[in-house]
Amino acid sequence: MSKTFEKLQPFLDKSMALQTARILFEWDDQTVAPFEAAEYTSKVVGILSDEYMKSLINDDVRKLLKKLQEEKEQQELTDTEKAIIKQLAKIYEQLESIPPEEYRAFNELTSVSSRKWAKARKDNRYEDFAPYLEKIINYKKKFAGYRVKGDKKPYEVLLGDYEECFMIRELDIFFDKVKAEIIPLLKEVSKKAETIDKSYNYLRYDTEKQREFCKYLAGYVGFDFNRGVIAESAHPFTTNLHNHDVRITDRYMEDNLESAMFSIIHESGHAIYEMNIADDITQTLVGGGASMGMHESQSRFYENILGRSQEFWEPIYDKLVAAYPDNLSKITLEHFIKGINKAAPNLIRTEADELSYCIHIIIRYEIEKMIFNNEVTVDKLPEVWNQKYQEYMGITPATDTEGILQDTHWSWGEFGYFPSYAIGTAVASQIHACMQDKMPLDNYLKEGNLTPIREFLRDNIHKFGMVKNTNDILKYVCGEDFNPDYYVKYLKEKYTKLYSL
Amino acid sequence: MSKTFEKLQPFLDKSMALQTARILFEWDDQTVAPFEAAEYTSKVVGILSDEYMKSLINDDVRKLLKKLQEEKEQQELTDTEKAIIKQLAKIYEQLESIPPEEYRAFNELTSVSSRKWAKARKDNRYEDFAPYLEKIINYKKKFAGYRVKGDKKPYEVLLGDYEECFMIRELDIFFDKVKAEIIPLLKEVSKKAETIDKSYNYLRYDTEKQREFCKYLAGYVGFDFNRGVIAESAHPFTTNLHNHDVRITDRYMEDNLESAMFSIIHESGHAIYEMNIADDITQTLVGGGASMGMHESQSRFYENILGRSQEFWEPIYDKLVAAYPDNLSKITLEHFIKGINKAAPNLIRTEADELSYCIHIIIRYEIEKMIFNNEVTVDKLPEVWNQKYQEYMGITPATDTEGILQDTHWSWGEFGYFPSYAIGTAVASQIHACMQDKMPLDNYLKEGNLTPIREFLRDNIHKFGMVKNTNDILKYVCGEDFNPDYYVKYLKEKYTKLYSL
């Protein structure tokens, strides 16, 4: 180990410990903590967050980082150490250019504005949220302005925080292709969707049995219960303390069979990624997934590409029917597969089917681009939102609650985040395509043997954590750069076959 | 606020946050964390523990503490601030006199020895644990030697870590009284105990129903679910992040009705104490219970004095019968009360009844005193242990597993801890006696109205946290010093009546 890096290690360790504590408090808050705890616990979390920042952002670390970025030092570093230095530099770049008092004011603003958003969404009053949104946008423009370099656009600074490999040029090409090919397909499919009777999904499903079956599903796809736990929370999520402690949550609704099942497969996809990260990089700055997009690619690979395929359900559909014979004994596997893949234009992103999902993202991306190009003012956003839903989906939200107020992201200042969902979806298809060339993937599914699939993902993607970025991984696995053709091809083939178009 | 104290505050806040994080990790480890997490998580906890120590033990805090201990500064301090300074001084006294490398070596030793103890207990091989116990004792003697002052004995240094108001003189008077009065009573009671048929307790009791009833019981005695949660763990315990987040665990066994019920009442007693600590001292160094003994007095007050009385069960016994009609419909309330108070000499402290419990403590206290007076060597301890059980209880352990190896405390170096259990029990009786003078306590129980009881404890004991010590509280509540007569009187009256002696 380089001697300079050795000096950095205690700072990294301390920041890791404090960050892990913050993660545990967050998990605990969502799953266990009593109702009245928050006010007092937030004082604890505030102090730990300050200490976390101080452990990374200080003169000692700054000097060591600078030294480690010098060419001579770089030569002595391992790939992992280089990746850690790159990640640390990214943190410095994100935070150091912003005056601390502005950063603090912004954090105070978002903690208020996220509550204002929740209230405005409930009351269907965009005008109550708009002044906060405007302030958030102004801060984000200012911060992006501080950080912008070379010929990058301000919006690209934000995009880069979530996915460094995809700037406006790449996203435009990607999304133009999707728009051109998927919007017509969605229209065709939706005409036929009405013929699929999905009423079985909304019968009464005992939640205790759902809990049991979801636990089974998690284990079935490869969630390792020696290294992870499942709990319940208002919204399903995945978190982890390190690669030997990965936690997912689910939510069980009595009148919906699918919801909890596909949530658990989705979160298991995230969890398997974290569990497979190598022991020697967990608990380091590069011990997470390569990017938001890569993480999402894995959850969606499990949820949609595997989880919504006929091959996946062939060996286990009987077990599901056996859990709910009254509701499902007359629903054939073929019927069930059509049901879980029913697609139609819809207003709510989080409830969207696989086919229309990307359209929701494109709408948000186009609006964010307009915002940061100063092509739209905050008061006009609902109008633009509704126009785009009409244009791409043929439907218009009746209220802002089911329109522009539906997502929490902007209320936290998270602009540039949405595209990573779409990137993940497309990356998943690309990886799927090259995996099919390399292994009898469908046969494995039919045999109920998901181990070779998980092992492939581990050895080719997961174990690297953030040592490789999205493009590195795609080249490593597939031998080519990101290519949205696979995604479009996948959707076309799948839906053409399913709907006999 | 004193300006010097103001300078101390950030250090106290930081140590509070780090300590709260440690508590959360400990809770999580016992209740949630997956099997394989420990190895990696312990690295996090180790760093947080180091940071906790550094946040309190450093030159800045040392100087501020010294200044705050000066007479002039003391005059400016509130009672709470004075108590905090006293507590901080205690931490310095405990740690500063011990060379850091010895302290570290001791901690490493106990983390090994506690595992060695568990193995030795399982294998019934005292000789495997003895070498570790000897090392621990040597460290404790050495550390006590560093800290001993004035005419105190080394063992009293250790006693004082758990209960500052009870030294050897006080304990000897207390325990001599108990031995003289309770040992004969136990013998008499145990003769009659055989006539009580308790077989109903060991029938099959559905654990899900136990969970439900225990939750009901916790709420019934005053556990506030807005400020607390119940989980499960191998051994029931109580912990808290602050007074608005207090957590208890229980363990449910299908073949034992009582176990989980009295554990939940016991832990609820601890929890109610913590929940009632005043808002302005929670999250400070004096935001916990006054002492181990005071804490135990509250759990035992709820578990034994209230929870094992006929008055307590009168309004709710029907509910218990309704939960298990097959097992309990023929068991009258009177029979049940005799059952839960069945007493007899026994070998295992944690399974002991109310009457014999104190004898277990006395045996441990006498042995610890011998150890620190250099009156016994480690190899002779099983012999001494067995002799004392024979002398006081009339029974001898068949194995060391059910003899000297039964408790975990010594393997952690916790000498001087046991007496606080007995102090708590006796303090509970004394408080009970003076509460009966001040309120119609039995009537409240019969009416199922425990609120006035809880409020009395809150206003006279709980809210003060560590601002008052055990003696202060007894004087405040009862107008007199600790007096073991109440305890002896309570046991004699209760068992004479129950067993018609």
Side-chain angles (χ1 to χ4, degrees), chain A residues 198-366:
Chain A
K198 205 179 161 171
S199 57
Y200 71 86
N201 188 59
Y202 308 104
L203 302 173
R204 191 191 157 279
Y205 289 90
D206 176 63
T207 52
E208 190 47 43
K209 276 194 188 163
Q210 286 196 49
R211 208 168 277 123
E212 241 174 73
F213 194 80
C214 285
K215 194 179 169 188
Y216 162 75
L217 272 180
Y220 184 75
V221 299
F223 185 88
D224 179 350
F225 286 93
N226 284 322
R227 291 175 164 218
V229 293
I230 303 180
E232 286 175 50
S233 64
H235 300 286
F237 68 94
T238 302
T239 188
N240 69 309
L241 305 188
H242 42 69
N243 67 348
H244 281 70
D245 189 338
V246 183
R247 300 165 181 215
I248 59 182
T249 69
D250 204 352
R251 178 179 52 162
Y252 307 94
M253 289 177 287
E254 205 175 54
D255 58 354
N256 194 326
L257 171 63
E258 274 182 22
S259 174
M261 287 200 308
F262 287 97
S263 288
I264 211 79
I265 303 176
H266 181 97
E267 302 307 332
S268 294
H270 283 304
I272 288 166
Y273 197 160
E274 294 293 342
M275 284 172 174
N276 279 342
I277 285 172
D279 284 351
D280 61 350
I281 60 170
T282 192
Q283 300 190 309
T284 74
L285 278 183
V286 296
S291 69
M292 294 302 311
M294 271 312 297
H295 233 305
E296 204 63 18
S297 82
Q298 298 307 288
S299 57
R300 280 160 196 263
F301 179 80
Y302 274 96
E303 178 194 351
N304 291 333
I305 297 182
L306 302 187
R308 292 186 200 270
S309 72
Q310 172 139 351
E311 292 81 5
F312 179 87
W313 285 98
E314 263 177 32
I316 61 171
Y317 183 63
D318 283 352
K319 202 175 155 76
L320 181 64
V321 175
Y324 306 103
D326 292 349
N327 296 351
L328 296 179
S329 59
K330 288 191 182 151
I331 307 297
T332 62
L333 173 61
E334 288 66 30
H335 185 166
F336 176 74
I337 297 300
K338 280 201 172 131
I340 60 177
N341 286 295
K342 190 169 176 171
N346 51 75
L347 293 170
I348 307 295
R349 177 183 60 84
T350 57
E351 295 167 12
D353 53 78
E354 197 180 353
L355 191 57
S356 60
Y357 189 87
C358 208
I359 313 294
H360 293 274
I361 298 305
I362 291 172
I363 292 171
R364 286 153 181 77
Y365 166 72
E366 292 182 349

Side-chain angles (χ1 to χ4, degrees), chain A residues 28 36 41 226 242 247, chain B residues 28 36 41 226 242 247 283:
Chain A
D28 188 79
E36 291 187 19
T41 304
N226 284 322
H242 42 69
R247 300 165 181 215
Chain B
D28 189 79
E36 290 187 18
T41 304
N226 284 320
H242 42 69
R247 302 167 178 214
Q283 298 189 310

Side-chain angles (χ1 to χ4, degrees), chain B residues 212-255:
Chain B
E212 240 175 73
F213 194 81
C214 285
K215 194 178 171 192
Y216 162 76
L217 272 180
Y220 184 75
V221 299
F223 185 88
D224 181 349
F225 286 94
N226 284 320
R227 293 175 163 215
V229 293
I230 302 180
E232 286 175 49
S233 65
H235 299 286
F237 68 95
T238 302
T239 189
N240 69 309
L241 305 187
H242 42 69
N243 68 347
H244 281 69
D245 190 338
V246 183
R247 302 167 178 214
I248 60 182
T249 68
D250 204 353
R251 177 179 52 160
Y252 307 95
M253 289 177 286
E254 204 175 54
D255 58 355

Side-chain angles (χ1 to χ4, degrees), chain B residues 4-216:
Chain B
T4 315
F5 197 91
E6 223 166 281
K7 284 183 198 156
L8 184 63
Q9 196 60 52
F11 295 99
L12 297 176
D13 286 343
K14 187 174 162 185
S15 75
M16 178 279 293
L18 289 160
Q19 176 67 350
T20 308
R22 284 168 62 189
I23 291 169
L24 184 61
F25 273 102
E26 177 66 24
W27 157 270
D28 189 79
D29 177 56
Q30 299 289 320
T31 60
V32 180
F35 178 68
E36 290 187 18
E39 187 189 334
Y40 291 79
T41 304
S42 67
K43 187 177 170 187
V44 174
V45 174
I47 294 169
L48 295 175
S49 299
D50 282 353
E51 291 299 320
Y52 166 74
M53 289 296 292
K54 280 191 231 163
S55 69
L56 276 187
I57 308 288
N58 60 58
D59 289 341
D60 294 325
V61 172
R62 192 177 291 110
K63 275 180 209 153
L64 291 167
L65 173 62
K66 211 170 170 190
K67 196 161 177 218
L68 284 161
Q69 286 175 313
E70 285 164 14
E71 204 181 341
K72 210 185 127 223
E73 290 273 352
Q74 281 277 311
Q75 288 166 3
E76 282 183 44
L77 298 177
T78 64
D79 283 353
T80 301
E81 287 164 356
K82 277 181 198 158
I84 290 169
I85 295 309
K86 187 181 157 193
Q87 195 55 27
L88 186 58
K90 209 168 169 176
I91 295 170
Y92 268 78
E93 184 274 320
Q94 281 170 350
L95 295 175
E96 281 233 302
S97 48
I98 301 168
E101 62 283 6
E102 288 183 18
Y103 188 69
R104 201 169 300 124
F106 173 72
N107 283 332
E108 279 165 24
L109 171 63
T110 53
S111 86
V112 175
S113 61
S114 59
R115 288 199 300 274
K116 294 285 174 189
W117 162 77
K119 179 94 172 53
R121 182 195 187 199
K122 195 167 151 266
D123 300 345
N124 188 37
R125 287 178 58 87
Y126 175 74
E127 61 271 34
D128 291 351
F129 176 53
Y132 295 91
L133 182 58
E134 178 141 30
K135 279 185 203 162
I136 291 169
I137 289 170
N138 288 339
Y139 269 117
K140 292 302 277 191
K141 282 182 179 171
K142 207 168 175 185
F143 293 171
Y146 293 141
R147 295 170 58 199
V148 80
K149 268 177 202 151
D151 57 355
K152 264 200 184 160
K153 299 203 167 184
Y155 183 43
E156 294 184 314
V157 173
L158 307 179
L159 287 171
D161 284 346
Y162 304 103
E163 181 55 83
E164 65 178 22
C165 303
F166 290 76
M167 294 295 110
I168 289 175
R169 201 181 71 88
E170 290 82 7
L171 289 172
D172 281 349
I173 295 172
F174 171 23
F175 290 150
D176 284 346
K177 184 158 197 92
V178 171
K179 275 159 69 176
E181 308 247 21
I182 302 304
I183 290 177
L185 178 62
L186 178 62
K187 278 183 185 153
E188 255 189 288
V189 163
S190 66
K191 273 182 237 159
K192 282 213 168 184
E194 285 158 34
T195 64
I196 300 171
D197 176 13
K198 205 177 162 174
S199 56
Y200 71 86
N201 189 60
Y202 309 104
L203 302 174
R204 192 192 155 278
Y205 290 90
D206 176 62
T207 52
E208 191 48 43
K209 277 195 187 163
Q210 286 196 47
R211 209 169 273 121
E212 240 175 73
F213 194 81
C214 285
K215 194 178 171 192
Y216 162 76

Side-chain angles (χ1 to χ4, degrees), chain B residues 252-271:
Chain B
Y252 307 95
M253 289 177 286
E254 204 175 54
D255 58 355
N256 193 329
L257 172 63
E258 273 180 24
S259 174
M261 289 202 305
F262 287 97
S263 288
I264 211 79
I265 304 177
H266 181 98
E267 302 307 332
S268 294
H270 283 304

